[in-house]
Amino acid sequence: MGHGRGTAVAEEAPAPGRALGSAVDPWEPPEQTGRRGRSGGGKGGGGRWGGSGGRWWVWVGRAVLWALILVILVNGIRAPFERFTATDKAPSGPARPGKSAQFPSSAAGAFALQFANVYLNYDQKSAPARAEQLRSFLPDGADGQFGWNRVGQLQMQSVQVAGVDARDANNATVTLLARNADKWFRLAVPVYAKNGSLVISGRPALLPPPTKAALPQGGVRDRDTALEGELQPFLGTFFQAYAHGDQTVLSRFSDGTAIGGLADSVTFVKVSEVIAPKGAVGERTVTATVAWQVPGSAAAGNGGELGQTYQLEMVKKGATWYVRDIRGSTEPSAS
């Protein structure tokens, strides 16, 4: 029995050594572990890391470690790259205004208009005064009369801005529409702008007036003559109230929408014509031509009248028509 106990002790003694060796370096190659196990004596000295099973787990651990390192590296490289590409590919939005949109068109139009009021009016008796006025618009060193030979007279009846053609952020051509007696023409004025300052950059050019457009063939072909006769007296009463501008009376004609009047600035004469196209029974858009007398013409006793055309949106409730809206008409009319 004593021999048995000694044998048991001899077999169990290496166990602590094996446990210590495993805790010291679990990633140690199997060869070293095996040698350490054999030096401790005993058949099982290699421990759990000896043999092919232990070597396989070592390589699995190394693979997991390298995979973790690769993930960290890839994320570290990808993050700044994505931020960089996101900056380059900013979300599309409204287009930025071009250089021409940055040109101060309103200021240049007003500047060119003031210039033209001096440039297009001259008298040889007051040439020095004209040159002094032009100095505020012209570049340094420019001819004081800016092309005028100091002979004769010229006076414009009216000058208006017709448009501004901006070529870039600094240069534009302002087109003016001017009238002299019974003649109309356009004047192209080059303007230079920089940091809020303006100057006439070159001599203007006279251009022909806008051509007269030909109206398309139109008009209402399918007219509701019965409705036109029905609306004639109603609109006569309505436009008489419209001339006075009495809101209490006008509210009786309105479909709930407030209608402003002319506050006795004109005198109602008559409704000359009503044009109503065929359509829905309870809703129509009609055109009415109204004759007005403007104060001044009637006082002079000459009976002068102005015929003007209106477009009215009308609705019918029960047996009564009401005005929903009134505005100027865009329907072509040669009359």
Side-chain angles (χ1 to χ4, degrees):
M1 291 180 63
H3 177 74
R5 285 193 298 269
T7 305
V9 171
E11 290 178 349
E12 293 173 0
R18 289 198 300 271
L20 180 61
S22 300
V24 170
D25 189 3
W27 300 103
E28 187 175 358
E31 293 80 358
Q32 296 179 6
T33 309
R35 285 196 298 271
R36 184 183 301 143
R38 283 193 297 272
S39 65
K43 187 176 178 180
R48 69 184 67 182
W49 301 106
S52 60
R55 187 181 300 111
W56 184 84
W57 280 108
V58 170
W59 285 109
V60 169
R62 289 177 176 175
V64 172
L65 180 61
W66 279 110
L68 180 61
I69 293 173
L70 287 175
V71 169
I72 295 173
L73 289 174
V74 169
N75 287 336
I77 296 173
R78 184 178 61 181
F81 178 76
E82 288 179 346
R83 288 195 297 268
F84 178 76
T85 55
T87 302
D88 289 346
K89 298 178 181 179
S92 59
R96 280 188 170 186
K99 290 184 177 180
S100 60
Q102 300 173 11
F103 184 85
S105 298
S106 297
F111 185 77
L113 180 61
Q114 295 299 316
F115 159 77
N117 283 325
V118 179
Y119 175 78
L120 292 175
N121 292 279
Y122 55 74
D123 188 332
Q124 60 187 17
K125 297 179 182 179
S126 57
R130 179 179 182 270
E132 183 65 26
Q133 292 176 351
L134 283 176
R135 187 177 302 173
S136 302
F137 303 95
L138 305 182
D140 295 339
D143 171 25
Q145 296 298 340
F146 216 43
W148 176 47
N149 65 353
R150 299 172 179 261
V151 177
Q153 295 178 341
L154 179 65
Q155 186 173 6
M156 290 291 114
Q157 274 68 52
S158 66
V159 184
Q160 292 92 25
V161 178
V164 179
D165 179 17
R167 308 298 174 85
D168 51 44
N170 304 109
N171 297 278
T173 300
V174 178
T175 301
L176 304 172
L177 191 61
R179 182 172 68 88
N180 175 27
D182 60 344
K183 301 295 183 181
W184 287 91
F185 59 86
R186 288 179 296 161
L187 183 72
V189 182
V191 178
Y192 177 82
K194 183 71 172 181
N195 298 329
S197 299
L198 299 164
V199 69
I200 305 300
S201 57
R203 292 187 180 182
L206 288 175
L207 301 173
T211 58
K212 183 171 65 175
L215 286 174
Q217 296 296 324
V220 178
R221 297 182 180 180
D222 196 7
R223 295 172 60 169
D224 189 339
T225 55
L227 179 60
E228 292 173 357
E230 179 184 350
L231 291 177
Q232 185 86 23
F234 167 82
L235 290 177
T237 307
F238 166 76
F239 276 107
Q240 190 167 8
Y242 187 71
H244 292 300
D246 189 333
Q247 293 298 309
T248 302
V249 178
L250 283 173
S251 64
R252 302 172 189 168
F253 298 92
S254 170
D255 180 39
T257 305
I259 298 175
L262 299 178
D264 290 320
S265 59
V266 295
T267 301
F268 172 74
V269 179
K270 62 180 179 179
V271 175
S272 305
E273 185 181 29
V274 177
I275 299 176
K278 290 185 177 180
V281 176
E283 186 172 351
R284 300 291 175 87
T285 299
V286 303
T287 302
T289 300
V290 183
W292 304 111
Q293 277 191 343
V294 181
S297 60
N302 57 15
E305 299 177 3
L306 282 176
Q308 300 184 334
T309 303
Y310 295 85
Q311 189 175 64
L312 301 99
E313 291 183 17
M314 306 190 67
V315 293
K316 190 174 186 180
K317 296 180 179 180
T320 306
W321 284 95
Y322 295 90
V323 177
R324 176 173 291 172
D325 188 32
I326 179 172
R327 62 173 67 93
S329 174
T330 58
E331 294 296 326
S333 175
S335 60

